């Protein structure tokens, strides 16, 4: 019925912005996650480690994945020192589908069904597209995007069956707006965002409202991954402190926030991107420094033997 459906859309178009404004003014109630099994990929360093530390006091069972076993051991040590009572770590190459499935089965057999899945593992080449080896392009896509497919396939069925769980995709602002010098990275992050949004809609269509989703899109974070990258206007687009980002992500999970864009100015920039002509968006990109972010890129230094 055209009239009834149109009326319904109009009513909800009025209601939901009002609801969002109220939630903005009144801090939402945080959900209790005690007893949940939280799996964090890329937990051997950076944001992954900091999120694990944030969860340490929340009475959850932590499952840590990373390809770097030494980093995992250090994260586990720090998390235990902070009071976590249940910590388990597994070396896992998230770019390898067979390894992801094997380690996922090991987790299910030894720990139980994961109820909060945080896809955080990521890499960056930092090279211009034509200078990036094919193998490195494929690796970036496998780690930053395809690994999400395999972890969802491994852990989502139980969440759907129980109508309970939370899927978290730590993507990037580079998954919303293209950046000069980050073609493979942007492609992988756009894929991660699109995949997470699509699965969220599938869950909604199936009535699985107990399985929550959160998509995180931060600007450059000072973790070492983007060492050397600058920002033209630090007041508007600051290089983010990793501790702040980790706290905001965990807070967003506890409040069932669907999108987390950091800093706040990204909401405005994304809206502008969608509204202005392409040539104007190019001029704005130059103004905000998007053409030169990667000029002095060094990346995280590799440890020497």
């Amino acid at each position: 019925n055209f009239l009834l459906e149109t009326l319904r859309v109009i009513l909800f178009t009025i209601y939901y912005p009002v609801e969002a404004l109220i939630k903005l003014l009144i801090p939402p109630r945080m959900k209790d996650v005690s007893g949940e099994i939280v799996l964090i990929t890329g937990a051997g360093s950076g944001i992954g480690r900091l999120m694990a530390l944030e969860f340490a006091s929340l009475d959850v069972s932590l499952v840590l994945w990373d390809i770097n076993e030494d980093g995992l051991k250090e994260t586990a040590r720090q998390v235990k020192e902070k009071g976590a009572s249940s910590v388990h770590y597994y070396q896992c190459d998230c770019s390898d589908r067979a390894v992801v499935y094997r380690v996922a089965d090991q987790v299910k057999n030894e720990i139980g069904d994961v109820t909060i899945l945080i896809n955080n593992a990521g890499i960056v080449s930092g090279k211009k597209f034509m200078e990036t080896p094919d193998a490195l392009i494929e690796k970036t896509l496998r780690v930053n995007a395809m690994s999400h497919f395999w972890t969802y396939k491994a852990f989502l069925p139980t969440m759907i069956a129980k109508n309970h769980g939370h899927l978290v995709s730590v993507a990037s602002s580079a998954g919303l707006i293209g950046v000069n010098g980050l073609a493979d990275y942007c492609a992988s992050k756009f894929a991660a965002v699109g995949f997470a949004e699509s699965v969220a809609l599938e869950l909604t269509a199936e009535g699985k409202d107990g399985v929550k989703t959160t998509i995180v899109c931060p600007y450059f974070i000072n973790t070492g991954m983007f060492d050397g990258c600058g920002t033209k206007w630090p007041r508007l687009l600051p290089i983010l402190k990793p501790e702040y980002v980790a706290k905001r992500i965990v807070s967003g999970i506890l409040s069932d926030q669907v999108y987390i864009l950091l800093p706040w100015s990204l909401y405005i920039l994304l809206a502008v991107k969608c509204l202005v002509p392409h040539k104007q968006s190019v001029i704005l990109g130059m103004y905000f420094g998007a053409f030169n972010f990667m000029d002095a890129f060094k990346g995280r230094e590799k440890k020497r033997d």
Side-chain angles (χ1 to χ4, degrees), residues 115-129:
T115 53
I116 299 177
L117 170 63
I118 305 176
N119 279 309
N120 167 74
I123 61 171
V124 60
S125 67
K127 299 177 182 294
K128 299 283 187 181
F129 170 63

Side-chain angles (χ1 to χ4, degrees), residues 269-276:
L269 292 178
L270 187 60
V272 169
K273 174 195 173 185
C274 297
L275 294 173
V276 303

Side-chain angles (χ1 to χ4, degrees), residues 100-165:
V100 169
Y101 286 163
R102 175 178 58 77
V103 179
D105 285 340
Q106 192 177 350
V107 169
K108 286 183 277 190
N109 291 331
E110 296 177 1
I111 316 300
D113 294 317
V114 169
T115 53
I116 299 177
L117 170 63
I118 305 176
N119 279 309
N120 167 74
I123 61 171
V124 60
S125 67
K127 299 177 182 294
K128 299 283 187 181
F129 170 63
M130 293 304 295
E131 298 170 2
T132 311
D134 292 353
L136 189 51
I137 292 173
E138 292 176 351
K139 182 79 170 181
T140 298
L141 289 167
R142 288 201 304 270
V143 174
N144 296 358
M146 295 307 299
S147 65
H148 297 202
F149 286 68
W150 317 140
T151 56
Y152 273 40
K153 277 284 186 75
F155 299 113
L156 183 54
T158 304
M159 295 185 191
I160 291 174
K162 296 180 179 179
N163 194 23
H164 175 78

Side-chain angles (χ1 to χ4, degrees), residues 137-204:
I137 292 173
E138 292 176 351
K139 182 79 170 181
T140 298
L141 289 167
R142 288 201 304 270
V143 174
N144 296 358
M146 295 307 299
S147 65
H148 297 202
F149 286 68
W150 317 140
T151 56
Y152 273 40
K153 277 284 186 75
F155 299 113
L156 183 54
T158 304
M159 295 185 191
I160 291 174
K162 296 180 179 179
N163 194 23
H164 175 78
H166 203 133
L167 301 168
V168 183
S169 175
V170 181
S172 169
S173 59
L176 303 171
I177 301 173
V179 179
N180 175 39
L182 281 177
D184 57 336
Y185 184 79
C186 286
S188 67
K189 293 300 184 177
F190 266 84
V193 171
F195 172 67
E197 285 185 339
S198 182
V199 173
L201 290 174
E202 284 188 19
L203 292 168
T204 299

